[in-house]
Amino acid sequence: MSKKIPKIPEEAARAGMDRRDFIIRSVKAGAALAAAGGLGYFLYDPAGPGPAPETSSLALPDFSIPEAGKKIAIVTGPDRAKSVNSGLKAVGGIETFIKKGDRVLIKVNAAFATPPALCATTHPEILSELVRLCLAAGAASVAVTDNPINNPESCFELSGIGEAARSSGASLILPKDSLFSNLTVPGANFIRNWPVLLGAFQGVTKLIGLSPIKDHHRSGASMSMKNWYGLIGGRRNIFHQDIHTFIRDLALMVKPTLVILDGTFTMISNGPTGGSISDLKKTDTVIVSTDQVAADAAGAVLLGKVPADLPFLVKAEQAGAGTTDFGSLNPVRVTA
Amino acid sequence: MAHPGRVETCVGLLVLAVLAGILGSILTVQSLYDPALFKALELKGNAAVTGLIPQPKSAGKSLVGLAPEGIMAAGGEETFDAETLSDKIDGKAELYLSSGFIGLTTQRFSRAEDPKSWFELYIYDMGEDKNAFSVFSLQKRRDGQKADLGDFSYSTENALFFASGSKYVEIVAAETGLGDQMLSMAKKIAGEQKPAETAEKSEFALFPGESLDQGSISLHMSDVFGFAGLDNVYTAKYQVGGEDVTAFISKRKDADESTALAAEYGRFLIENGATELGEIPGAPGSKVFKIFDTFEAVVFNGPFLAGAHEVENRGAAEEIAARIYRKLEGAANE
């Protein structure tokens, strides 16, 4: 039986290629294909891309003053300027918190381009007085910031916050891309490699949260802890899916020097935007505290709620961010 | 071995150049990888945000054309879709998104002679009339005065709110005193809508009239009373013996569905700590539950599921539920 010798292809023969060349080339091509396939298999990651490794060394400083202790003052009165004055005196005086040369950052709620009368944003009157007090206490500078996603310039101007800041001697820090850096908060569920307005904290030595007290359709209330939402960048609206856990994360992220809640008028319905003056209730209260959880628990009373109605309060307390039992801090109650 | 020809060399180099281009593109895309975006998509997936997102329709005519004499645009027109709505209204976006929201168009206007005297117009495209009524009713201010814009409208000290066709409209002023201009603009908007359907009104008639607060009727589109299985529920307030009672009615596909839903809702209540107390006299199949310090009455009749929700007094809850049951008897037989 004779063996049938395979013929080389006609094209190869025409190119002057003999059988030996053809086999060598075929082996080389096969080896190249096998090497490419092998490399692809070696580099294949079946899990796909995960979040980038959490190697960030960035963190927000702790702005609290442990020696000042846990304090809370609940001031009754219709005049915001007088109330914030009285509240600060009741927790030890502004000098306890702001020292000569301090660089103060005030985080306001400037979330909406709405007028001050709707109380959906920090009221310019209380902001002006707070800036004045900080500067009088010797602060080297006072800056005011927030990250309203939609048109920050309009939000600061129409809310009256921009003019209040400028006229009282504070600077405005408007959000821009270069001010955001990715941050991971230890123990947080969601703030992991997420953009945060860290650039606003450059050189800052003291941090004060200044926010209104509002009903909130999703979280039940918007007060001190929810106010830190405005430091977050990116598509942050997705966190509304689990808003209570996210507010707990915010409370873990920020350790303020003080928080101040303006409940002179409280938005008791249709929050957080409101829209009608009839969404407001005159409650004549300002709360000043070194414990943001306690402040929010006290603020909840103005909304007719208790901590059990607001899961974020309970979660923040469990995470060690403060106490919902504000009565245990022996609140100083004063009338302005 | 024969050397490759010139054409072959050129083709080979071209292939290598294309491969180098592909490699460069891959490396570029990899270098722009945004973990925040990846995390966002991951969270969305977990939240079961699926399906196509309705796109907002173009606002069509410019809103500037709606401005009455003496009023001018004080800013550009802005539009928001389901993805961006929260950029404008933050946490309240969920209220609209759960009610069929499609798009929002806004613009600020001011007095021509005084730019500081301004108002903002919000036109929410809710896709369907009942969706527009739902968001209107759920935000209704109790002290609002009826506006000259149909049944689903009211004004407050500084604002005007109304539902017209599939649109829900808010006009919010920075101060009082712009009511006439806002009403003029609102009438033009309402005039452009097709006449409102009367479906809502026929549902209203299912509530017994005695001691009913007619203005309190609201439509809840989803996750009603915290129960994911309950949607399209009308609620209304009653006064019984000086006590506020919230009644509810939901028309289902047929009697089988209403019966099954009543049972599911009962199970949901029990899973959340309720205890079953018994049946309401004269309403076969009904159940009364005690949940914490309140009472829940659940009845069904034909395609209707109904009852009373979170009532402090058991007698009041049973009385309203029984009244609704009797009223539904006629409707169920129609």
Side-chain angles (χ1 to χ4, degrees), chain B residues 42-278:
Chain B
E42 186 183 63
L43 190 68
K44 275 196 156 189
N46 291 342
V49 179
T50 56
L52 293 172
I53 298 167
Q55 295 302 304
K57 289 172 191 164
S58 164
K61 281 185 199 168
S62 164
L63 299 184
V64 175
L66 301 168
E69 200 178 325
I71 295 293
M72 64 175 196
E77 191 176 300
E78 293 182 285
T79 57
F80 302 86
D81 61 15
E83 283 288 299
T84 58
L85 180 62
S86 68
D87 293 355
K88 181 68 177 173
I89 63 170
D90 190 55
K92 205 192 268 187
E94 310 299 330
L95 171 72
Y96 293 91
L97 296 174
S98 63
S99 300
F101 171 84
I102 291 177
L104 165 65
T105 308
T106 71
Q107 190 161 15
R108 272 194 327 115
F109 294 87
S110 69
R111 288 185 201 271
E113 76 275 14
D114 180 10
K116 286 187 177 171
S117 180
W118 60 271
F119 61 80
E120 186 160 9
L121 169 66
Y122 299 74
I123 302 180
Y124 292 89
D125 180 356
M126 298 303 299
E128 293 180 27
D129 294 11
K130 72 184 309 187
N131 296 342
F133 171 73
S134 175
V135 293
F136 166 81
S137 66
L138 293 176
Q139 299 177 83
K140 195 169 179 185
R141 280 79 177 174
R142 305 289 293 162
D143 61 346
Q145 303 291 309
K146 194 169 182 320
D148 184 18
L149 289 162
D151 289 338
F152 305 144
S153 67
Y154 63 95
S155 63
T156 63
E157 208 176 330
N158 69 306
L160 189 58
F161 306 89
F162 66 100
S164 181
S166 61
K167 303 288 193 294
Y168 169 63
V169 181
E170 295 186 342
I171 308 180
V172 177
E175 57 181 31
T176 57
L178 283 160
D180 290 345
Q181 290 86 342
M182 296 194 314
L183 183 62
S184 169
M185 184 175 265
K187 283 182 174 174
K188 286 187 185 174
I189 297 166
E192 289 178 354
Q193 300 304 310
K194 65 181 174 62
E197 291 175 8
T198 54
E200 282 74 36
K201 290 179 184 171
S202 66
E203 304 273 6
F204 293 2
L206 296 170
F207 287 101
E210 186 188 342
S211 68
L212 166 68
D213 176 356
Q214 188 76 31
S216 70
I217 298 176
S218 302
L219 172 58
H220 306 250
M221 299 302 291
S222 59
D223 285 341
V224 186
F225 309 146
F227 177 45
L230 199 51
D231 57 6
N232 285 295
V233 175
Y234 285 86
T235 61
K237 300 269 188 211
Y238 282 86
Q239 273 278 320
V240 181
E243 193 160 343
D244 275 337
V245 176
T246 300
F248 65 91
I249 298 175
S250 178
K251 187 175 184 183
R252 316 308 304 184
K253 192 175 68 186
D254 52 32
D256 287 345
E257 187 181 315
S258 66
T259 307
L261 192 55
E264 279 175 41
Y265 184 49
R267 282 194 291 276
F268 166 77
L269 292 172
I270 287 169
E271 282 165 11
N272 285 277
T275 50
E276 193 178 320
L277 300 179

Side-chain angles (χ1 to χ4, degrees), chain A residues 49-50 235 237 270 276-277 279, chain B residues 33 38 83 86 92 141 156:
Chain A
R235 293 301 308 163
N237 62 321
N270 290 307
S276 174
I277 290 169
D279 293 323
Chain B
Y33 165 62
F38 184 81
E83 283 288 299
S86 68
K92 205 192 268 187
R141 280 79 177 174
T156 63

